[in-house]
Every structure is written in C-alpha cells, then in structure tokens.
Amino acid sequence: MTVADVPTLSYDPFTTNDPDERYAQYRELRAAGPVVHLSYVGVYATGRYDEVKAALGEHDTFISGEGVGFNDIANDVVRGSTLGSDSPEHEVLRGVVATGLQPRAMRARHDEIAEIARGVVGTALARGDVDGVAHLAQAMPTAVVPDILGLPDRHRDELITWAKGGTDLLGPVNERTPRNAELSGCISQFAVELVEGREFAPGSLGDQVLSAADRGEIAPEKCVILMNDYLGPSMETTATAIGHLLVLFAQHPEQWEALRAQPGLVGSAINEVLRFQSPVRGFTRVARRDTALGGILIPAGARLWTVVASANRDERHWNNPDVFDFRRNPIDHLAFGYGSHGCAGQGVARLEMHALIHALLDSVERFELTAAPVVAPNSMLNTWDSVPLRLVPRGE
C-alpha cells in the first residue's frame, strides 16, 4: 500500500467556541486531507465522513482504553468506563448499562415521557418569554433521566452543570480545567454516595447495576464508574440537541410550519438536527498498531481525534451539508458515534426529543428569538449557555 505524507495544520481548534468558526475550521480540516496532524495540540485528526466512520468501526485498532480525551487528567477519569475501555471489558460493561435501555423498556415509558413533555411545554408557554436552555432543553432530561436511573431527589438540578464540566474536562488543559475537574468530582462523589447507600429506586437502572455486581457479573468497584457513565452523557448531550432544535426552528419558521403539517417527519427532523449541529465534536482514540487510514500512516501510540461534527457536514457524503432541511432524514449521521462505542442511551434521547417536539407541535405556533443565543464555552460540546426565546401559542 502506498502511504502518503500526513498534512499538517498549525491552528489551535480549541480557541473558539463559536459554532460557525468551528465549522470553518472543519472545512479546512477536510480540505487538507483524509487525516491531518494538528501540530498545536499534538494529535492526528480526521474530519471526513468515511475515515471517521472507519476509525470508529475499527475498535480493535483505534482503542479507547487509553482514554478518549486530550489530557491525562480526563483520561484517568474515564479509563475503565464504557467510554474508556476495550474488549472484552467493554462488552461486559456495556451489557450491564444497556440492559435497562432496550427498546422494549423504553417503549413502556412512552406515555410517561410524553406526559412529562406536555408538562414542560405547558410550563414554558405560561412564561411566554423563556430561556430555551433552562426552561426546555435542560428541563426535559432533568425531568426524565433521574427517574429512569432511580435517583433520590437531591442534586437533580445540578447534574447537567456537573456533566458539562466533566465533558469539557476532556479537552486540552486550559483555564477552565480546575473548575471542570471540580465539577467532574461532584458527579463522582454523588455516584459514590448512591452506590454505597444503595439509594436507587427498586427496578431502576441504578438498581440493575448494583444487582449485576451482586451476581458477580461486574466487580463492585465498577458500579461507581458505570453510574458516572449514566449521570453525565445521559443528560447534557440531549439538552444540547434540544437547544439546537429550538434555535434552528426559530431561524427557519417555514420549516417549523411545514413540520406541523407533516408530524410524521419528527424522526427525520431529529436526525437532521443531530447531523447539522452535532452536540459532541468528537472523541479521541489511540492507534494500537501502525495503521493506514485514508492512505495516511498513523503510528502506533498516536492519538487520533475523530471529529464527528465535521464528518456530519462532509460534502463528500452529504448534498448541501451546510443547509438545514428537516426532510433530509440523515439516518447515517454519526452524532451518536458508530460501532461498539455507539451511544447506548440514544434510544432514551430520541424518545425525549420525539415527545418534546410533538408537545411543541401541539401547542406552539412558532418560536421567536428575542436576543442572540449565547454560546457556552466548552472544548468538546457544541452547546448554548442561553437561548432567549418567545413561544407564540397556537391560535395567536
């Protein structure tokens, strides 16, 4: 096989949080080659769809057990979790995590989650002018996920803040790192309290994790690690996606009107939101051996950033990728990852978003931005800090 020299880019991809500036960087990344070396942060990166999907699918070559972030602090935190483990440990842990997230279990919660969504939307409508992040995007998973996990009442409103800090911690060390480490520690301490006190509701996902340890399927010390897996990603990424949904339909009122006329396309709309504004930029992997990706040699031990947010806008794979169109239905988007490390909780996230959109379709004529949305500083998430929004009820 002929292996080409790796192109090099010298910019720092973590100096901006602005989504438009990041997408401009992704275009430069894709144009430079199938794989590039980002000299400023010292990692390889791939932003093209085919190469990102291939790397994520080759889990025995591009491994997660050395951590999936950009610094040793974060990689030590996630090592041994479902996010930061390899075969055969990963399959065992994922099996425990996924047991309570199977489609049948989630379908049984359909009516309950739909009722929660109607309540969230009703409360927001009563306000009129809202922060779309606090009153809708975060309110929905905060009302759903803790009960699925079987959590007690305390700290529920803090979980998303803690989780965002934990995800941001995965980026290169910066001025936010000490605070992010503190926030990540809050999740870990809460997980310790929950496991040691066996505080989960009977039959909940948390209770199932403890039962797996009682049966000897996993080591007892893995319970805290698995609860960290649940408590973080299960909430912040869904809230981020809902925030983008609100902004996109506020910016494209004609598409909201069209979706109201075609509610059967809600699933398509969800896929397009996730493709167009991927909540997570992408995690890293480590090459287990010398390997070629897209004709570029990646040496053993090198860290590779799989930039799914770029892949989901790759013009080689999508027609008019920088155009938002809820009818597109990009079922092969990579926002939930791909392969053995694909998001185990995506069924819950889809169910939440599906229920919330239907509740909004039933009650909201249109969304109006009352000020510019404010970007949240985060190295790994593409997310909003606030979305000033007016909800116009149907019939007005």
Side-chain angles (χ1 to χ4, degrees):
M1 178 188 300
T2 301
V3 178
D5 292 334
V6 60
T8 297
L9 293 176
S10 60
Y11 67 80
D12 181 359
F14 297 99
T15 56
T16 181
N17 294 291
D18 181 80
D20 291 337
E21 293 179 8
R22 285 180 173 179
Y23 282 114
Q25 290 181 342
Y26 300 156
R27 285 191 289 273
E28 183 179 357
L29 174 66
R30 294 193 301 270
V35 176
V36 306
H37 186 255
L38 297 175
S39 60
Y40 191 90
V41 287
V43 301
Y44 290 75
T46 177
R48 294 184 183 177
Y49 183 93
D50 288 346
E51 283 72 28
V52 169
K53 186 175 181 179
L56 294 177
E58 296 174 14
H59 58 87
D60 287 331
T61 299
F62 296 104
I63 62 174
S64 302
E66 296 298 320
V68 297
F70 287 82
N71 68 83
D72 292 341
I73 298 172
N75 287 331
D76 285 343
V77 170
V78 302
R79 191 172 286 115
S81 66
T82 55
L83 185 63
S85 60
D86 299 308
S87 300
E89 180 183 39
H90 176 259
E91 282 74 18
V92 174
L93 296 176
R94 187 180 174 92
V96 173
V97 170
T99 297
L101 301 176
Q102 298 297 326
R104 179 181 297 180
M106 290 301 99
R107 283 196 296 271
R109 290 184 174 270
H110 178 276
D111 292 345
E112 171 193 347
I113 293 176
E115 182 62 29
I116 289 172
R118 288 190 288 269
V120 168
V121 171
T123 299
L125 271 172
R127 289 177 174 270
D129 285 8
V130 300
D131 176 0
V133 171
H135 299 129
L136 287 166
Q138 293 182 352
M140 188 65 192
T142 298
V144 171
V145 173
D147 286 339
I148 292 177
L149 299 183
L151 303 185
D153 290 338
R154 72 182 188 280
H155 297 315
R156 291 187 174 207
D157 290 339
E158 299 169 276
L159 289 174
I160 289 181
T161 298
W162 291 350
K164 282 187 174 182
T167 304
D168 193 19
L169 183 65
L170 291 167
V173 173
N174 59 28
E175 70 280 358
R176 297 188 304 275
T177 297
R179 175 59 175 162
N180 288 333
E182 180 182 341
L183 294 171
S184 179
C186 290
I187 288 184
S188 296
Q189 179 57 39
F190 188 38
V192 169
E193 295 172 8
L194 295 172
V195 170
E196 290 184 348
R198 301 184 73 94
E199 296 188 57
F200 304 104
S204 66
L205 293 186
D207 186 51
Q208 291 173 23
V209 170
L210 297 184
S211 296
D214 293 341
R215 294 189 299 268
E217 296 174 11
I218 58 172
E221 60 267 21
K222 289 294 183 180
C223 292
V224 171
I225 294 173
L226 289 181
M227 286 316 304
N228 275 328
D229 282 356
Y230 277 136
L231 292 172
S234 62
M235 298 184 68
E236 101 238 350
T237 51
T238 303
T240 293
I242 293 172
H244 284 302
L245 183 154
L246 297 171
V247 172
L248 286 168
F249 280 114
Q251 293 172 335
H252 301 276
E254 76 289 349
Q255 293 205 43
W256 180 250
E257 183 178 358
L259 183 58
R260 283 179 49 211
Q262 297 177 285
L265 295 182
V266 164
S268 173
I270 291 170
N271 285 329
E272 178 67 348
V273 168
L274 291 167
R275 180 201 71 84
F276 191 75
Q277 291 284 17
S278 303
V280 179
R281 302 179 73 185
F283 297 121
T284 69
R285 301 286 191 270
V286 171
R288 173 171 278 164
R289 60 185 71 89
D290 289 355
T291 189
L293 182 65
I296 303 294
L297 177 65
I298 302 174
R303 191 167 288 276
L304 173 71
W305 185 20
T306 55
V307 192
V308 298
S310 172
N312 281 336
R313 294 278 193 105
D314 186 359
E315 52 282 323
R316 295 159 190 79
H317 188 78
W318 315 99
N319 292 324
N320 300 316
D322 293 327
V323 173
F324 173 73
D325 181 1
F326 81 90
R327 302 173 185 84
R328 186 192 300 264
N329 197 22
I331 58 175
D332 55 344
H333 71 79
L334 300 175
F336 285 125
Y338 177 76
S340 65
H341 282 272
C343 177
Q346 62 180 281
V348 180
R350 288 184 183 278
L351 188 56
E352 291 178 69
M353 294 180 69
H354 202 278
L356 186 68
I357 293 174
H358 275 288
L360 290 166
L361 289 171
D362 289 342
S363 303
V364 176
E365 184 78 20
R366 65 185 181 275
F367 312 101
E368 297 176 351
L369 292 172
T370 56
V374 178
V375 175
N378 197 297
S379 293
M380 303 300 286
L381 288 177
N382 167 29
T383 190
W384 300 112
D385 192 52
S386 67
V387 176
L389 199 66
R390 177 173 297 123
L391 303 181
V392 179
R394 292 190 65 170
E396 289 191 6

